[in-house]
């Protein structure tokens, strides 16, 4: 989850999010390069009493400020397209989960083998136990196995929502009448938090997402237990 | 005694010849500082984390700490 005074992304828990982190670092490096140059030139321009009223054109500078940005754009585009295509790889999921957005909670359907469906409501602040996170905890978490490609089909039952978990590198709009697909592989066990990312009414800020990644054998025990409860 | 004639031409070119290389150099230094101060350490941190990563050991530590809801600590 996010922590106070955080400036960057949350720690990545999937290979795709790691690649996105590194690409962001690359793009930000180029931003600092350009910003430093522009800022220095601005300071140099304003800290002189000299003026030149006779410049009409300059082929050299026009070539420079066309060619250099074109080269910089290519240097940004190459890793960008690489990560984009990486995210769209055919990934043969081991498990498919449907995440349905409602006003104002998520419901999850694990229907590959059995008919396991449950709702996930935010835990109200007054019901939190010590150590739990305000506005982020839910009564039921979406449990997934680690190191397995998971496909999430996202949709909505009423208005637009968006299923987002930053540390998994996942955000997908939940559109009524439409099935959107996203996928991830949880590289490590843990608990990962997200929040609805499309304005959906009064309690848009109060329908969080919690994904719990555990080893496969524990995931199977959990599904069996959930089926008994249901 | 006459004064030396002041430079009356090429003042902009002279200023540019002085400042533009410094601007380019500073921007490359800024980019290199970010690359070797942030980007490379971050890549190394992720590589080092997963190089010695023991998935079951980490999972069991988190389990005993009680953070999971699908798996309770072994004592419970």
């Amino acid at each position: 989850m996010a922590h106070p005074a955080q400036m960057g992304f949350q720690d990545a828990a999937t290979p795709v999010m790691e690649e996105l982190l590194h690409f962001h670092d690359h793009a930000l490096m180029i931003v600092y390069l350009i910003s430093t140059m522009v800022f220095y030139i601005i300071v140099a321009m304003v800290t002189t009493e000299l003026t030149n009223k006779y410049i009409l054109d300059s082929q050299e500078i026009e070539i420079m400020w066309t060619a250099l940005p074109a080269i910089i754009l290519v240097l940004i585009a190459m890793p960008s397209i690489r990560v984009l295509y990486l995210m769209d790889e055919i990934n043969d999921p081991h498990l498919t989960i449907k995440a349905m957005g409602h006003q104002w909670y998520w419901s999850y359907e694990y229907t590959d083998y059995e008919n396991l469906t449950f709702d996930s409501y935010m835990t109200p602040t007054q019901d939190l136990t010590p150590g739990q996170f305000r506005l982020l905890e839910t009564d039921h978490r979406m449990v997934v196995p680690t190191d397995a490609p998971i496909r999430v089909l996202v949709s909505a039952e009423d208005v637009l929502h968006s299923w987002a978990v930053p540390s998994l590198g996942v955000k997908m709009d939940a559109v009524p009448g439409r099935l959107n697909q996203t996928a991830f592989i949880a590289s490590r066990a843990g608990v990962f938090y997200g929040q609805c990312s499309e304005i959906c009414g009064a309690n848009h800020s109060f329908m969080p997402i919690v994904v719990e990644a555990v080893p496969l054998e524990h995931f199977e025990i959990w599904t069996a237990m959930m089926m008994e409860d249901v | 005694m006459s004064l030396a004639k002041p430079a009356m031409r090429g003042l902009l070119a002279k200023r540019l010849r002085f400042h533009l290389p410094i601007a380019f150099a500073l921007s490359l230094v800024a980019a290199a500082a970010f690359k070797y101060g942030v980007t490379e350490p971050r890549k190394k941190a992720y590589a080092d984390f997963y190089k010695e990563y023991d998935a079951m050991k980490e999972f069991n530590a988190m389990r005993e700490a009680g953070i999971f809801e699908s798996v309770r600590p072994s004592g419970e």
Side-chain angles (χ1 to χ4, degrees):
Chain A
M1 58 162 282
H3 57 81
Q6 179 175 326
M7 294 295 287
F9 292 113
Q10 296 179 31
D11 287 341
T14 64
V16 163
M17 189 59 204
E18 280 185 53
E19 292 294 330
L20 286 169
L21 266 180
H22 299 321
F23 171 70
H24 178 267
D25 283 340
H26 170 75
L28 191 56
M29 175 188 73
I30 293 175
V31 165
Y32 280 131
L33 183 142
I34 296 168
S35 303
T36 309
M37 168 163 304
V38 170
F39 182 68
Y40 184 92
I41 291 174
I42 288 173
V43 170
M45 283 200 292
V46 302
T47 54
T48 177
E49 293 170 355
L50 300 169
T51 57
N52 186 328
K53 301 179 290 187
Y54 303 107
I55 297 179
L56 296 173
D57 66 358
S58 170
Q59 288 296 324
E60 298 84 359
I61 200 172
E62 297 251 357
I63 289 170
M64 284 297 291
W65 70 34
T66 306
L68 271 184
I71 292 168
I72 288 173
L73 284 174
V74 168
L75 289 177
I76 295 173
M78 278 170 17
S80 174
I81 297 290
R82 182 186 148 269
V83 174
L84 186 67
Y85 276 63
L86 182 75
M87 291 162 69
D88 253 0
E89 279 286 330
I90 309 217
N91 47 29
D92 189 24
H94 293 185
L95 178 67
T96 298
I97 304 170
K98 285 182 274 296
M100 303 293 295
H102 309 254
Q103 284 178 311
W104 286 280
Y105 62 98
W106 293 93
S107 63
Y108 300 108
E109 300 171 21
Y110 293 64
T111 49
D112 280 348
Y113 303 105
E114 307 280 351
N115 200 14
L116 171 59
T117 305
F118 56 90
D119 298 336
S120 179
Y121 279 84
M122 184 187 85
T123 304
T125 304
Q126 61 265 27
D127 297 341
L128 291 171
T129 57
Q132 288 193 309
F133 301 120
R134 190 178 70 92
L135 307 186
L136 285 176
E137 300 286 355
T138 57
D139 56 357
H140 298 110
R141 296 173 171 177
M142 185 179 111
V143 181
V144 298
T146 51
D147 294 317
I150 311 289
R151 174 203 275 138
V152 184
L153 297 174
V154 183
S155 188
E157 297 279 12
D158 36 48
V159 299
L160 293 178
H161 301 270
S162 185
W163 196 81
V165 184
S167 47
L168 302 179
V170 165
K171 181 179 290 181
M172 187 54 71
D173 279 0
V175 181
R178 181 182 172 88
L179 268 186
N180 280 333
Q181 172 181 296
T182 186
F184 63 88
I185 302 175
S187 311
R188 55 187 171 91
V191 181
F192 310 111
Y193 294 90
Q195 293 176 286
C196 179
S197 297
E198 185 67 46
I199 188 80
C200 55
N203 287 345
H204 156 68
S205 311
F206 309 112
M207 48 181 293
I209 296 137
V210 187
V211 178
E212 192 171 289
V214 294
L216 180 62
E217 58 266 33
H218 296 283
F219 169 76
E220 289 175 336
I221 294 169
W222 172 81
T223 50
M225 187 187 69
M226 290 293 284
M227 290 305 301
E228 280 171 19
D229 288 347
V230 166
Chain B
M1 178 105 91
S2 60
L3 295 167
K5 184 177 176 186
M8 300 172 81
R9 294 171 190 272
L11 295 168
L12 174 61
K14 180 179 167 206
R15 191 173 176 80
L16 288 176
R17 271 195 306 274
F18 179 79
H19 283 289
L20 275 181
I22 297 176
F24 273 97
L26 258 182
S27 61
L28 286 173
V29 165
F34 186 82
K35 183 179 171 77
Y36 293 106
V38 175
T39 306
E40 294 303 316
R42 200 197 303 278
K43 281 187 188 161
K44 184 171 181 306
Y46 274 90
D48 289 346
F49 177 83
Y50 282 108
K51 205 184 317 178
E52 305 291 333
Y53 183 64
D54 184 338
M56 285 315 295
K57 176 170 164 252
E58 297 294 328
F59 167 72
N60 284 324
M62 284 190 265
R63 175 187 184 177
E64 297 309 321
I67 68 160
F68 294 122
E69 286 183 359
S70 61
V71 186
R72 298 314 301 158
S74 47
E76 290 181 21

